[in-house]
Amino acid sequence: MTNACKDCSYRGSKSGPSGECPACGSFKFAPVNGQPVDEVKPGAKFQRIALVTSWTVLLFLILLKIFE
């Protein structure tokens, strides 16, 4: 079930303990029809690849400097 806040446009499946919007605290947080919210950010896969690549290059450069 997808909910949307009418004040701040937050969309998500979870609400606060009293049914309020977790982003702004508004009580104008109601269920909407449509596609379920994708919980993973669209760029998350690219960010993980970039992070692993950066750490690999850094580790390689450190090892290269140590064993020179």
Side-chain angles (χ1 to χ4, degrees), residues 26-56:
S26 170
F27 284 96
K28 295 181 183 175
F29 193 62
V32 292
N33 295 331
Q35 299 278 339
V37 175
D38 186 13
E39 297 295 332
V40 177
K41 294 179 184 176
K45 184 176 181 181
F46 172 75
Q47 289 175 348
R48 283 189 203 118
I49 291 171
L51 181 66
V52 169
T53 303
S54 301
W55 279 105
T56 303

